[in-house]
């Protein structure tokens, strides 16, 4: 496989420092695709590195976060070749990983740093992991504590504002781990996946129980690759029992569906602009993270989903959205958990709907790439939307057909806040200016995709 060369259209992304200008747009129409699912792409790279042989992955997300994972694996001695949306990973197993020559740069990616922490907790060498300014503010105690209980040494930066927590840069020294039974303090796919990776290297069984059901991409892919992992049908607990296992995953081809989180921005744009008719092909429809579709349906969106099979246990399909008048709803509990990464896009739908939409049980948004509750409240107020910020969410008073105000979005290095501001700008009475460099974290072709559907964005 030939490596990407400069100028390859498959790797086009918004240049650093770029700015998007968004104007009120007419109906969006057409069919499109979105980049490969970011969460599944991380796992394809990481689990491919642990395989017994060469893993070919197609449909790989090429945003900055996935590239951070690929670069970190190379630094750990794994041959990862990328070309367009394809990857060829020469698996080395857990035992084949080697200490990096220097600190591992995880960029803006919480998934990269957290899953690597679990992976490296069982390796007999020391590693340092760091990231950009946004990642450096994200708390890591919830992962450090159970890994320490299993036998790893994890150290990080202290912060007087959150005594007892640890923040990147992180230093982990792995070694002999022991399985644990652990109740996760929050439902988190990143935390669960990190502990699964540690549990695969531990002596004894690791049992993980969550307060809610987080996305299960890790369980699906690892089972398909032959890992000793099971999910208790009664309790939902994830059980890892590596006794007798050879420590290598089975090398299988991986096809990655389109990213539902990226697609949700297109769904909201289509649903909120009268006369729109947009179809997104090959979208991942995993029920543990498809809450955004349920929220939009509850708001009255005209949505048609056509299943098209599955890819390595992940359901895939086509989603068609047409413009309609949306109404307020409540997003809480399990529904909020299944839509947590799509909340910035759904907040835009709420802003343009009739009536009030309440978002609750979302305290986790405060420790994403930004404090997303604060960021969403700030951006909606800038656009003239009434919003009541709460400790674990917010309530939005929909504009009910009135156009939002334009202005300048302040993403604070959060790709989803930037994209949400742009989608809101498609309905605004004045031009909206969006600092766009961070959009490439997950959706490098965001503006080009919207423009091809008829959006006034450049």
């Amino acid at each position: 496989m030939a490596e990407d060369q400069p100028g390859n259209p498959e790797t086009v992304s918004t240049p650093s420092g770029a700015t998007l200008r968004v104007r009120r747009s007419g109906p969006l129409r057409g069919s499109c695709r979105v980049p490969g699912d970011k969460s599944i792409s991380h796992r394809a790279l990481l689990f491919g590195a642990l395989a017994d042989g060469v893993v070919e992955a197609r449909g790989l997300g090429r945003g900055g976060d996935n590239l951070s994972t690929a670069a970190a694996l190379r630094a750990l001695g794994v041959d990862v070749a990328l070309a367009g949306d394809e990857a060829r990973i020469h698996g080395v197993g857990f035992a084949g990983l080697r200490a990096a020559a220097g600190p591992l740069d995880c960029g803006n990616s919480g998934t990269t740093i957290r899953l690597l922490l679990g992976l490296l907790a069982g390796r007999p060498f020391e590693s340092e992991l760091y990231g950009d300014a946004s990642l450096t503010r994200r708390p890591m105690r919830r992962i450090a504590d159970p890994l320490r209980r299993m036998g790893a040494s994890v150290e990080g930066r202290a912060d007087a504002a959150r005594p007892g927590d640890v923040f990147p840069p992180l230093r982990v020294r792995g070694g002999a781990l022991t399985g644990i039974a652990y109740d996760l303090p929050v439902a988190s796919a990143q935390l669960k996946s990190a502990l699964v990776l540690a549990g695969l290297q531990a002596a004894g069984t690791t049992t993980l129980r969550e307060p809610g059901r987080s996305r299960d991409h890790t369980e699906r892919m690892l089972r398909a690759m032959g890992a000793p992992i099971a999910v208790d049908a009664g309790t939902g607990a994830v059980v890892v029992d590596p006794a007798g296992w050879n420590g290598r995953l089975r090398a299988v081809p991986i096809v990655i569906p389109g990213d539902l989180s990226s697609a949700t921005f297109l769904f909201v744009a289509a649903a909120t602009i009268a006369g729109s008719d947009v179809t997104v092909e090959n979208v991942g429809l995993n029920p543990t993270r498809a809450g955004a579709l349920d929220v939009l349906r509850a708001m009255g969106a005209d949505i048609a989903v056509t299943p098209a099979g599955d890819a390595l246990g992940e359901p895939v399909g086509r989603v068609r959205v047409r413009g309609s008048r949306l109404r307020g709803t409540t997003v809480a509990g399990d529904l909020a958990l299944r839509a947590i990464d799509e909340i910035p896009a759904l907040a835009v739908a709420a802003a343009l709907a009739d009536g009030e939409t309440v978002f609750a049980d979302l305290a986790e948004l405060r420790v994403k790439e930004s404090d997303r509750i604060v960021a969403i409240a700030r951006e909606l107020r800038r656009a003239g939307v009434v919003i009541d910020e709460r400790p674990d969410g917010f309530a939005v008073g929909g504009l009910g057909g009135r156009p939002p105000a334009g202005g300048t979005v302040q993403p604070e290095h959060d790709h989803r806040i930037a994209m949400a501001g742009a989608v809101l700008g498609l309905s605004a009475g004045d031009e909206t200016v969006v600092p766009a460099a961070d959009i490439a974290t997950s959706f490098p072709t965001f503006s080009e995709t919207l423009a091809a559907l008829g959006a006034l964005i450049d």
Side-chain angles (χ1 to χ4, degrees):
M1 177 184 295
E3 288 278 3
D4 285 335
Q5 298 299 319
N8 186 328
E10 291 290 337
T11 60
V12 169
S13 62
T14 306
S16 178
T19 298
L20 296 178
R21 297 187 177 277
V22 185
R23 298 174 297 286
R24 187 177 180 87
S25 298
L28 307 181
R29 297 193 176 102
S31 177
C32 64
R33 291 181 176 242
V34 291
D37 186 284
K38 184 161 74 81
S39 295
I40 299 174
S41 294
H42 281 301
R43 288 157 175 81
L45 292 165
L46 284 161
F47 302 165
L50 304 175
D52 188 9
V54 177
V55 171
E56 304 273 3
R58 292 191 294 112
L60 192 79
R62 294 302 308 271
D65 280 6
N66 293 142
L67 296 181
S68 292
T69 293
L73 289 170
R74 289 189 185 110
L76 292 166
V78 182
D79 183 357
V80 180
L82 303 177
D85 67 350
E86 297 183 2
R88 184 179 177 88
I89 308 130
H90 293 257
V92 298
F94 286 100
L97 297 174
R98 298 290 178 262
L104 298 168
D105 183 0
C106 300
N108 185 247
S109 177
T111 302
T112 301
I113 198 168
R114 290 180 172 129
L115 268 62
L116 280 177
L117 198 62
L119 172 60
L120 295 171
R123 297 297 86 216
F125 50 77
E126 186 173 279
S127 302
E128 183 176 346
L129 301 92
Y130 73 104
D132 66 8
S134 172
L135 188 62
T136 299
R137 295 193 297 268
R138 300 180 73 172
M140 299 290 163
R141 178 179 176 178
R142 65 177 60 167
I143 290 182
D145 280 355
L147 291 177
R148 288 165 177 159
R149 281 183 53 186
M150 296 177 79
S153 170
V154 182
E155 299 175 355
R157 180 179 59 84
D159 188 328
R162 290 181 65 113
D165 215 326
V166 293
F167 298 82
L170 301 171
R171 191 176 297 276
V172 56
R173 174 167 284 282
L177 302 181
T178 302
I180 58 172
Y182 188 67
D183 293 314
L184 278 66
V186 294
S188 165
Q190 291 180 359
L191 172 54
K192 174 178 63 179
S193 299
L195 298 180
V196 165
L197 287 170
L200 287 172
Q201 304 171 77
T205 301
T206 295
T207 302
L208 306 172
R209 294 176 292 266
E210 295 184 281
R213 190 182 182 195
S214 67
R215 61 184 62 178
D216 66 354
H217 300 309
T218 290
E219 296 95 306
R220 289 173 186 256
M221 188 177 292
L222 284 178
R223 279 199 299 266
M225 298 178 77
I229 180 172
V231 179
D232 186 284
T235 66
V238 176
V239 180
V240 181
D241 184 4
W245 184 51
N246 67 3
R248 284 189 178 232
L249 301 176
R250 184 167 57 243
V252 297
I254 299 174
V255 178
I256 299 161
D259 190 283
L260 181 66
S261 298
S262 295
T264 299
F265 290 100
L266 307 181
F267 300 157
V268 170
T272 54
I273 298 176
S276 294
D277 188 346
V278 171
T279 298
V280 183
E281 305 281 355
N282 191 48
V283 179
L285 299 173
N286 185 312
T288 62
R289 67 172 294 190
L293 294 174
D294 295 333
V295 173
L296 290 172
R297 287 191 186 100
M299 298 182 78
D302 184 349
I303 297 178
V305 176
T306 305
D310 69 85
L312 208 65
E314 295 282 350
V316 179
R318 175 188 303 113
V319 180
R320 182 183 184 186
V321 182
R322 288 180 280 193
S324 53
R325 193 70 178 259
L326 301 183
R327 58 181 178 270
T329 189
T330 297
V331 183
D334 175 70
L335 181 59
L337 176 60
R338 292 190 299 113
I340 191 162
D341 280 346
E342 293 74 51
I343 296 301
L346 295 173
V348 172
L352 299 172
D354 295 328
E356 183 180 69
T357 299
V358 176
F359 295 86
D361 302 318
L362 290 164
E364 187 69 9
L365 290 180
R366 295 208 180 268
V367 291
K368 290 288 188 177
E369 284 85 337
S370 64
D371 181 332
R372 283 187 176 159
I373 292 175
V374 168
I376 289 168
R378 179 187 66 243
E379 292 307 315
L380 293 190
R381 289 190 186 112
R382 172 194 55 77
V385 180
V386 174
I387 179 168
D388 175 23
E389 182 183 334
R390 300 170 181 178
D392 70 339
F394 48 92
V396 179
L399 292 169
R402 292 178 288 117
T408 300
V409 176
Q410 299 177 48
E412 294 185 346
H413 303 292
D414 191 326
H415 52 123
R416 300 202 199 280
I417 298 300
M419 289 186 282
V423 171
L424 186 62
L426 297 175
S427 296
D430 305 304
E431 183 178 78
T432 300
V433 178
V434 184
D438 294 302
I439 290 175
T441 293
S442 61
F443 197 167
T445 54
F446 171 73
S447 61
E448 294 90 340
T449 302
L450 275 174
L453 296 170
L456 299 179
I457 181 170
D458 52 42

